[in-house]
Amino acid sequence: MTAVLTKPASAALQLPQDVTLDFFGCPVKAGELTHHLDSMSLLAKRIDALTAAHQDPATAFRLEASAVPPAAKWGKAVGWTPRDDAALLLGVYYHGLGHWEAIISDERLGLQ
């Protein structure tokens, strides 16, 4: 895995979160990367706690009410629920961000 730091476009100093990394040809903002890593770490802790309590994360994992985002306008039309949000997060934890086919095909998640 290689990441190359790109030089800022201007001579002005950039804040660390504004720095862009070249990740295998894909530009990634450092701030977004650290936020993603922090979020995934919190998710891993929640899933580990469920596992330690001998609960199946696929059936027991739920988003706390304060963490549930406002419903998207299209959500009601397609029947998307907060449970689906939780299953999607769990799918990202299991399969990785961007592996949508694997996530949707994972029967444990119930997203079919």
Side-chain angles (χ1 to χ4, degrees):
M1 179 163 84
T2 19
V4 178
L5 206 54
T6 58
K7 292 184 180 180
S10 70
L13 219 92
Q14 288 186 321
L15 296 174
Q17 68 267 20
D18 293 332
V19 173
T20 300
L21 305 171
D22 181 309
F23 189 73
F24 296 100
C26 180
V28 178
K29 291 184 180 178
E32 290 176 6
L33 178 62
T34 57
H35 176 72
H36 174 71
L37 292 173
D38 290 344
S39 298
M40 292 306 289
S41 177
L42 290 172
L43 180 60
K45 286 178 185 176
R46 295 267 315 272
I47 292 169
D48 289 346
L50 289 172
T51 303
H54 304 289
Q55 294 181 314
D56 177 19
T59 56
F61 178 73
R62 297 288 183 272
L63 292 175
E64 295 175 7
S66 62
V68 175
K73 292 179 182 178
W74 54 263
K76 199 178 267 189
V78 298
W80 192 262
T81 67
R83 169 70 184 105
D84 296 320
D85 285 333
L88 181 60
L89 280 172
L90 196 55
V92 168
Y93 177 79
Y94 287 153
H95 303 286
L97 188 63
H99 294 103
W100 310 121
E101 291 299 322
I103 292 169
I104 197 73
S105 300
D106 190 332
E107 294 179 4
R108 299 174 293 177
L109 303 174
L111 291 171
Q112 290 84 13

